[in-house]
Structures are given as structure tokens and as C-alpha cells.
Amino acid sequence: MSCVKNTSSQILKNLQPAKDKRSKLIKSKESVDKFTSIINLVPKLKEYVEDGNFLTAAQHYLRNKYLLEQYQHSQSFKGIMEESKDIIWYIQGKLKNRLDCLLYNSEEISATLNLILELGEVKEDFLHEFLLISKDNLNQILLKIKDNYLIENDDIEASVDYKIFGCSDLSCKYLDILSKTINIVRRVFLREEVSFCGSSVLTNFVTTILARLFTRLVLIIWKYF
């Protein structure tokens, strides 16, 4: 029995150098892979941008962001870090074009917002920016209500009932966009413990937006009744 144990110990001892060598090779390969990922980061980002794949570009950057942070004090990678940040700044601008509530659904917008926040946008500032985008969407609908139902237009000859129906349809669309905006803000910006600031910003936005719609509706009621 003792002989067997001694033999096993000797075998393990003989295998140890090979095991150590294998571990070193694995670590070496991991290091090479890391350097390769960093070196190829900028060309890959440019490739995605040229193809218009801004979501994929942002996701690729985030997967490699931790590597950049590991070597942020290395002069060798300073150029890569600066250029990649410039590209990401451009990508963020393109991603913000995907925040239009008239064109994209809540899931798409929420995913894009979360991605932009991961890229480093300040949450509170970005909340204000998103609400401004939503406000522009809502203003487009208010403008249609004004042009079609408040301003005399010889090209639009329709009964009062037809005009009221059309106005109601646009009003419902207005409220739908507002509801979508509220849900997105609560899902993305207020999903953690609700801060007083974030909550009050949303409350003020909703109050103002509803007041604008009701003002238009009152004017229409006065006009036709």
C-alpha cells in the first residue's frame, strides 16, 4: 500500500512541471487575447459605425471597456483610449436618434436608454434630455391639432363632427405618447429608489404636457360649440 502511495506521489510530482507550463501557456494566451482585443477595438468600432450598426458598436465597446480601464495608465494604449472615446461620443449621438416615441416602441427605447447610460451619460442630465425629445414628439401632435382644427383652412372642408373626431384621435395619440414616456422614465430612470429630484422632474413634465393639451381642447370646444 505504501508503495502505491509513493508511486502516485511520484507521478503527481513528475506531472507538476507540465501542469505549471500549461497554466503559464493559458495565462499567456489570455494576455495575448486581451491585447488583441484592445488593439482591434478602434478598427472594429469604425467598421460597425460605417455599417450603421451603432447598437452593436456600443455593446462591443462595453464588452472591452473593463480592459481599457485595466490599462488606463499605460501610455501605450492612450491613443486607443482617446480615439475610442471619440467614436463612442459619436455613437451616443446616433443612438439618441432612436429615442423617438413616435417611431420606436417602449422596449426598444428603454434598451437604448440603458445602453447610453452604461456608456457614461449622467442619469439626471439624460433624463432632462429624454423628456425634451418626448416633448418635441408631443408638440408635433399639438401642431397637427392646431393646423387642422384651430386654423381656418380652405383645403379642409369637413363637418364639425368629423373635425371633433379627428381631434379626439390625435388627443388619444398624444396621451398614448405621454403614457409611453411615463412608463419608460419609471422603468429606466426611477427603477431604483425614487429620488425626489427625478420624481419631481417627471411630475412637472406631465403636468405641463397635460395643460398644453387641455388648452388646445378648450379652444376647439369654444370654436365649434
Side-chain angles (χ1 to χ4, degrees), residues 89-100:
W89 181 83
Y90 174 78
I91 289 172
Q92 283 178 279
K94 290 296 183 180
L95 289 177
K96 289 176 182 178
N97 293 333
R98 297 175 56 87
L99 302 179
D100 191 325

Side-chain angles (χ1 to χ4, degrees), residues 6-222:
N6 291 336
T7 302
S8 298
S9 298
Q10 187 61 43
I11 291 173
L12 291 173
K13 185 177 180 180
N14 292 336
L15 289 174
Q16 189 61 42
K19 184 178 179 181
D20 292 342
K21 185 177 181 180
R22 182 170 176 271
S23 297
K24 289 180 180 179
L25 287 173
I26 291 174
K27 289 181 180 179
S28 177
K29 183 180 182 304
E30 289 175 349
S31 297
V32 170
D33 289 342
K34 287 180 180 180
F35 285 125
T36 302
S37 295
I38 295 175
I39 292 171
N40 291 334
L41 179 59
V42 170
K44 198 66 179 176
L45 289 177
K46 288 182 177 180
E47 179 184 331
Y48 286 133
V49 168
E50 288 174 2
D51 293 338
N53 296 325
F54 302 110
L55 282 173
T56 305
Q59 292 164 349
H60 181 73
Y61 173 79
L62 289 172
R63 283 195 297 270
N64 290 276
K65 186 180 178 182
Y66 79 99
L67 290 177
L68 288 175
E69 291 173 348
Q70 287 182 13
Y71 299 99
Q72 59 182 322
H73 300 300
S74 173
Q75 290 297 318
S76 302
F77 297 108
K78 186 177 180 181
I80 294 175
M81 293 184 68
E82 291 179 351
E83 191 170 0
S84 63
K85 285 181 179 179
D86 289 339
I87 296 173
I88 286 300
W89 181 83
Y90 174 78
I91 289 172
Q92 283 178 279
K94 290 296 183 180
L95 289 177
K96 289 176 182 178
N97 293 333
R98 297 175 56 87
L99 302 179
D100 191 325
C101 287
L102 296 173
L103 300 177
Y104 300 95
N105 61 43
S106 298
E107 289 70 25
E108 291 172 321
I109 293 175
S110 295
T112 302
L113 286 170
N114 283 320
L115 190 58
I116 294 173
L117 286 171
E118 284 189 70
L119 291 173
E121 283 282 353
V122 178
K123 200 169 190 178
E124 186 174 332
D125 294 341
F126 194 33
L127 169 58
H128 285 280
E129 188 173 352
F130 174 63
L131 290 179
L132 283 176
I133 294 172
S134 297
K135 184 179 179 181
D136 287 340
N137 293 154
L138 293 164
N139 283 341
Q140 291 179 42
I141 300 175
L142 283 181
L143 188 60
K144 287 183 179 179
I145 292 176
K146 178 183 176 183
D147 290 344
N148 293 340
Y149 307 110
L150 284 175
I151 297 177
E152 295 296 337
N153 191 334
D154 295 335
D155 295 332
I156 301 177
E157 294 183 0
S159 66
V160 172
D161 289 342
Y162 178 83
K163 290 183 177 181
I164 294 299
F165 176 80
C167 180
S168 299
D169 186 54
L170 286 173
S171 298
C172 288
K173 187 175 183 180
Y174 187 93
L175 293 174
D176 180 61
I177 296 298
L178 177 58
S179 176
K180 182 191 290 188
T181 300
I182 294 171
N183 289 333
I184 291 171
V185 169
R186 293 177 67 181
R187 182 186 303 173
V188 175
F189 295 96
L190 306 180
R191 60 185 176 183
E192 300 162 359
E193 184 178 350
V194 179
S195 65
F196 175 76
C197 179
S199 180
S200 62
V201 167
L202 179 59
T203 300
N204 292 337
F205 173 79
V206 173
T207 302
T208 302
I209 291 302
L210 286 176
R212 290 168 64 86
L213 174 63
F214 290 146
T215 299
R216 287 284 192 275
L217 294 179
V218 168
L219 290 174
I220 289 172
I221 291 171
W222 283 350

